[in-house]
Amino acid sequence: MRDCSFELEPATITALIGPNGAGKTTVFNLISGFIAPSSGSIVFRGQRIDGLAPHRIFDRGLIRTFQIPRQFQSMSVIENLMIVPSNPGGENFWSAWLFPKRIAAKEEATFRRAEELLDFVKLSHLRDQPASDLSGGQKKLLELARTLLADPQMVMLDEPGAGINPALMHELMGHVESLRRERGITFLLVEHNMELVTESCDRAIVMNEGMVLVDGRPADVVSRPEVLDAYLGSKRVAD
């Protein structure tokens, strides 16, 4: 990475695009704490987060998903949601012994919220099925529901449209748009599907060779000569 710098406006949907090897996944790993930067800074809601562990960044409301959804395959769909809260209190022996009613109330509230989110992503009919039974698109919807249970301020989606059919892709992005509009959640997504980018995103940041190449409205960005050069150049090397 070199001279890679950008800011995101709250409650917007921004796409991070570029040819393979451009540095998109590295940016995601840096922001989410999976890689520590050797220089520069990463600021989230006015506070530096560079160097923080991933779970500390998660606790601040910045959450990422992965290109391949990471569910517990043998657990049911709703059980996959119930494990999201990092420490509801029941894990502490003394809390469980001294305040059992309080712990039970928290677990009941989490269960109700999980049911609401399954209804939101239209997976309620599969709540008791093992996660391994879900299709690729359904697993991405479940992963979106898991991020929402943590009440995020910002969500980073890693290729949400990859490997799912167009109907589920539009359904997923419809949920993203309503969350941006109704709850003010900020979204940053890595995506190769240009139809998804131009239809669903407010802004596109194009990366190439570890730096920002172009930044602007998706419809304008994708037709820029330098962007086409970056993609075609990458293709020529691959060929």
PDB file of all heavy atoms in Angstrom, residues 84-100:
ATOM      1  N   VAL A  84     -23.677 -14.124  18.764  1.00  0.00           N
ATOM      2  CA  VAL A  84     -23.018 -12.877  18.378  1.00  0.00           C
ATOM      3  C   VAL A  84     -22.621 -12.003  19.555  1.00  0.00           C
ATOM      4  O   VAL A  84     -21.492 -11.522  19.610  1.00  0.00           O
ATOM      5  CB  VAL A  84     -23.885 -12.082  17.381  1.00  0.00           C
ATOM      6  CG1 VAL A  84     -23.319 -10.682  17.158  1.00  0.00           C
ATOM      7  CG2 VAL A  84     -23.964 -12.827  16.059  1.00  0.00           C
ATOM      8  N   PRO A  85     -23.490 -11.718  20.543  1.00  0.00           N
ATOM      9  CA  PRO A  85     -23.061 -10.839  21.628  1.00  0.00           C
ATOM     10  C   PRO A  85     -21.799 -11.366  22.284  1.00  0.00           C
ATOM     11  O   PRO A  85     -21.717 -12.537  22.657  1.00  0.00           O
ATOM     12  CB  PRO A  85     -24.253 -10.882  22.600  1.00  0.00           C
ATOM     13  CG  PRO A  85     -25.414 -11.197  21.736  1.00  0.00           C
ATOM     14  CD  PRO A  85     -24.879 -12.132  20.685  1.00  0.00           C
ATOM     15  N   SER A  86     -20.782 -10.486  22.427  1.00  0.00           N
ATOM     16  CA  SER A  86     -19.464 -10.936  22.874  1.00  0.00           C
ATOM     17  C   SER A  86     -19.448 -11.386  24.319  1.00  0.00           C
ATOM     18  O   SER A  86     -18.717 -12.282  24.679  1.00  0.00           O
ATOM     19  CB  SER A  86     -18.438  -9.808  22.683  1.00  0.00           C
ATOM     20  OG  SER A  86     -18.845  -8.639  23.371  1.00  0.00           O
ATOM     21  N   ASN A  87     -20.267 -10.739  25.182  1.00  0.00           N
ATOM     22  CA  ASN A  87     -20.304 -11.139  26.578  1.00  0.00           C
ATOM     23  C   ASN A  87     -21.608 -10.687  27.218  1.00  0.00           C
ATOM     24  O   ASN A  87     -21.667  -9.637  27.835  1.00  0.00           O
ATOM     25  CB  ASN A  87     -19.120 -10.562  27.361  1.00  0.00           C
ATOM     26  CG  ASN A  87     -19.104 -11.071  28.808  1.00  0.00           C
ATOM     27  OD1 ASN A  87     -19.802 -12.030  29.137  1.00  0.00           O
ATOM     28  ND2 ASN A  87     -18.326 -10.426  29.645  1.00  0.00           N
ATOM     29  N   PRO A  88     -22.680 -11.486  27.076  1.00  0.00           N
ATOM     30  CA  PRO A  88     -23.962 -11.081  27.615  1.00  0.00           C
ATOM     31  C   PRO A  88     -24.032 -11.147  29.128  1.00  0.00           C
ATOM     32  O   PRO A  88     -25.016 -10.790  29.727  1.00  0.00           O
ATOM     33  CB  PRO A  88     -24.934 -12.096  26.986  1.00  0.00           C
ATOM     34  CG  PRO A  88     -24.103 -13.311  26.772  1.00  0.00           C
ATOM     35  CD  PRO A  88     -22.721 -12.798  26.428  1.00  0.00           C
ATOM     36  N   GLY A  89     -22.980 -11.634  29.776  1.00  0.00           N
ATOM     37  CA  GLY A  89     -22.968 -11.700  31.226  1.00  0.00           C
ATOM     38  C   GLY A  89     -23.023 -13.110  31.751  1.00  0.00           C
ATOM     39  O   GLY A  89     -22.502 -13.409  32.824  1.00  0.00           O
ATOM     40  N   GLY A  90     -23.626 -14.011  31.015  1.00  0.00           N
ATOM     41  CA  GLY A  90     -23.762 -15.379  31.471  1.00  0.00           C
ATOM     42  C   GLY A  90     -22.456 -16.132  31.527  1.00  0.00           C
ATOM     43  O   GLY A  90     -22.361 -17.176  32.174  1.00  0.00           O
ATOM     44  N   GLU A  91     -21.420 -15.610  30.842  1.00  0.00           N
ATOM     45  CA  GLU A  91     -20.139 -16.301  30.849  1.00  0.00           C
ATOM     46  C   GLU A  91     -19.405 -16.117  32.171  1.00  0.00           C
ATOM     47  O   GLU A  91     -18.472 -16.839  32.473  1.00  0.00           O
ATOM     48  CB  GLU A  91     -19.271 -15.778  29.694  1.00  0.00           C
ATOM     49  CG  GLU A  91     -19.873 -16.083  28.327  1.00  0.00           C
ATOM     50  CD  GLU A  91     -19.061 -15.443  27.219  1.00  0.00           C
ATOM     51  OE1 GLU A  91     -17.990 -14.885  27.528  1.00  0.00           O
ATOM     52  OE2 GLU A  91     -19.485 -15.508  26.063  1.00  0.00           O
ATOM     53  N   ASN A  92     -19.794 -15.125  32.945  1.00  0.00           N
ATOM     54  CA  ASN A  92     -19.165 -14.871  34.223  1.00  0.00           C
ATOM     55  C   ASN A  92     -19.887 -15.679  35.299  1.00  0.00           C
ATOM     56  O   ASN A  92     -21.095 -15.558  35.484  1.00  0.00           O
ATOM     57  CB  ASN A  92     -19.249 -13.373  34.544  1.00  0.00           C
ATOM     58  CG  ASN A  92     -18.574 -13.023  35.850  1.00  0.00           C
ATOM     59  OD1 ASN A  92     -19.044 -13.394  36.913  1.00  0.00           O
ATOM     60  ND2 ASN A  92     -17.467 -12.295  35.740  1.00  0.00           N
ATOM     61  N   PHE A  93     -19.137 -16.530  36.021  1.00  0.00           N
ATOM     62  CA  PHE A  93     -19.741 -17.421  37.006  1.00  0.00           C
ATOM     63  C   PHE A  93     -20.546 -16.651  38.035  1.00  0.00           C
ATOM     64  O   PHE A  93     -21.689 -16.980  38.345  1.00  0.00           O
ATOM     65  CB  PHE A  93     -18.658 -18.246  37.703  1.00  0.00           C
ATOM     66  CG  PHE A  93     -19.171 -19.035  38.874  1.00  0.00           C
ATOM     67  CD1 PHE A  93     -19.857 -20.223  38.677  1.00  0.00           C
ATOM     68  CD2 PHE A  93     -18.998 -18.571  40.174  1.00  0.00           C
ATOM     69  CE1 PHE A  93     -20.352 -20.949  39.759  1.00  0.00           C
ATOM     70  CE2 PHE A  93     -19.496 -19.285  41.251  1.00  0.00           C
ATOM     71  CZ  PHE A  93     -20.172 -20.477  41.050  1.00  0.00           C
ATOM     72  N   TRP A  94     -19.969 -15.577  38.592  1.00  0.00           N
ATOM     73  CA  TRP A  94     -20.640 -14.851  39.661  1.00  0.00           C
ATOM     74  C   TRP A  94     -21.880 -14.122  39.161  1.00  0.00           C
ATOM     75  O   TRP A  94     -22.898 -14.048  39.857  1.00  0.00           O
ATOM     76  CB  TRP A  94     -19.665 -13.873  40.320  1.00  0.00           C
ATOM     77  CG  TRP A  94     -18.585 -14.586  41.085  1.00  0.00           C
ATOM     78  CD1 TRP A  94     -17.262 -14.665  40.777  1.00  0.00           C
ATOM     79  CD2 TRP A  94     -18.765 -15.372  42.272  1.00  0.00           C
ATOM     80  NE1 TRP A  94     -16.591 -15.432  41.693  1.00  0.00           N
ATOM     81  CE2 TRP A  94     -17.494 -15.879  42.626  1.00  0.00           C
ATOM     82  CE3 TRP A  94     -19.861 -15.688  43.071  1.00  0.00           C
ATOM     83  CZ2 TRP A  94     -17.286 -16.681  43.737  1.00  0.00           C
ATOM     84  CZ3 TRP A  94     -19.659 -16.488  44.187  1.00  0.00           C
ATOM     85  CH2 TRP A  94     -18.396 -16.980  44.508  1.00  0.00           C
ATOM     86  N   SER A  95     -21.818 -13.595  37.915  1.00  0.00           N
ATOM     87  CA  SER A  95     -23.004 -12.940  37.361  1.00  0.00           C
ATOM     88  C   SER A  95     -24.146 -13.940  37.202  1.00  0.00           C
ATOM     89  O   SER A  95     -25.294 -13.660  37.544  1.00  0.00           O
ATOM     90  CB  SER A  95     -22.678 -12.310  36.006  1.00  0.00           C
ATOM     91  OG  SER A  95     -21.778 -11.237  36.157  1.00  0.00           O
ATOM     92  N   ALA A  96     -23.816 -15.121  36.681  1.00  0.00           N
ATOM     93  CA  ALA A  96     -24.845 -16.140  36.470  1.00  0.00           C
ATOM     94  C   ALA A  96     -25.437 -16.616  37.792  1.00  0.00           C
ATOM     95  O   ALA A  96     -26.631 -16.916  37.890  1.00  0.00           O
ATOM     96  CB  ALA A  96     -24.255 -17.319  35.693  1.00  0.00           C
ATOM     97  N   TRP A  97     -24.620 -16.685  38.834  1.00  0.00           N
ATOM     98  CA  TRP A  97     -25.072 -17.185  40.133  1.00  0.00           C
ATOM     99  C   TRP A  97     -25.838 -16.123  40.920  1.00  0.00           C
ATOM    100  O   TRP A  97     -26.852 -16.387  41.546  1.00  0.00           O
ATOM    101  CB  TRP A  97     -23.855 -17.666  40.930  1.00  0.00           C
ATOM    102  CG  TRP A  97     -24.226 -18.395  42.192  1.00  0.00           C
ATOM    103  CD1 TRP A  97     -24.877 -19.585  42.302  1.00  0.00           C
ATOM    104  CD2 TRP A  97     -23.957 -17.943  43.531  1.00  0.00           C
ATOM    105  NE1 TRP A  97     -25.030 -19.916  43.625  1.00  0.00           N
ATOM    106  CE2 TRP A  97     -24.480 -18.935  44.409  1.00  0.00           C
ATOM    107  CE3 TRP A  97     -23.328 -16.824  44.070  1.00  0.00           C
ATOM    108  CZ2 TRP A  97     -24.384 -18.823  45.791  1.00  0.00           C
ATOM    109  CZ3 TRP A  97     -23.232 -16.727  45.454  1.00  0.00           C
ATOM    110  CH2 TRP A  97     -23.761 -17.713  46.301  1.00  0.00           C
ATOM    111  N   LEU A  98     -25.347 -14.874  40.863  1.00  0.00           N
ATOM    112  CA  LEU A  98     -25.940 -13.809  41.662  1.00  0.00           C
ATOM    113  C   LEU A  98     -27.128 -13.134  40.984  1.00  0.00           C
ATOM    114  O   LEU A  98     -28.034 -12.646  41.653  1.00  0.00           O
ATOM    115  CB  LEU A  98     -24.872 -12.751  41.993  1.00  0.00           C
ATOM    116  CG  LEU A  98     -23.733 -13.206  42.911  1.00  0.00           C
ATOM    117  CD1 LEU A  98     -22.664 -12.127  42.990  1.00  0.00           C
ATOM    118  CD2 LEU A  98     -24.268 -13.538  44.310  1.00  0.00           C
ATOM    119  N   PHE A  99     -27.107 -13.095  39.631  1.00  0.00           N
ATOM    120  CA  PHE A  99     -28.153 -12.362  38.908  1.00  0.00           C
ATOM    121  C   PHE A  99     -28.776 -13.221  37.808  1.00  0.00           C
ATOM    122  O   PHE A  99     -28.788 -12.832  36.638  1.00  0.00           O
ATOM    123  CB  PHE A  99     -27.573 -11.083  38.300  1.00  0.00           C
ATOM    124  CG  PHE A  99     -26.794 -10.239  39.273  1.00  0.00           C
ATOM    125  CD1 PHE A  99     -25.416 -10.158  39.185  1.00  0.00           C
ATOM    126  CD2 PHE A  99     -27.447  -9.529  40.279  1.00  0.00           C
ATOM    127  CE1 PHE A  99     -24.687  -9.378  40.075  1.00  0.00           C
ATOM    128  CE2 PHE A  99     -26.737  -8.743  41.173  1.00  0.00           C
ATOM    129  CZ  PHE A  99     -25.351  -8.671  41.084  1.00  0.00           C
ATOM    130  N   PRO A 100     -29.301 -14.381  38.150  1.00  0.00           N
ATOM    131  CA  PRO A 100     -29.832 -15.275  37.104  1.00  0.00           C
ATOM    132  C   PRO A 100     -30.992 -14.666  36.327  1.00  0.00           C
ATOM    133  O   PRO A 100     -31.106 -14.882  35.118  1.00  0.00           O
ATOM    134  CB  PRO A 100     -30.275 -16.518  37.895  1.00  0.00           C
ATOM    135  CG  PRO A 100     -30.493 -16.024  39.296  1.00  0.00           C
ATOM    136  CD  PRO A 100     -29.469 -14.947  39.494  1.00  0.00           C
TER     137      PRO A 100
END
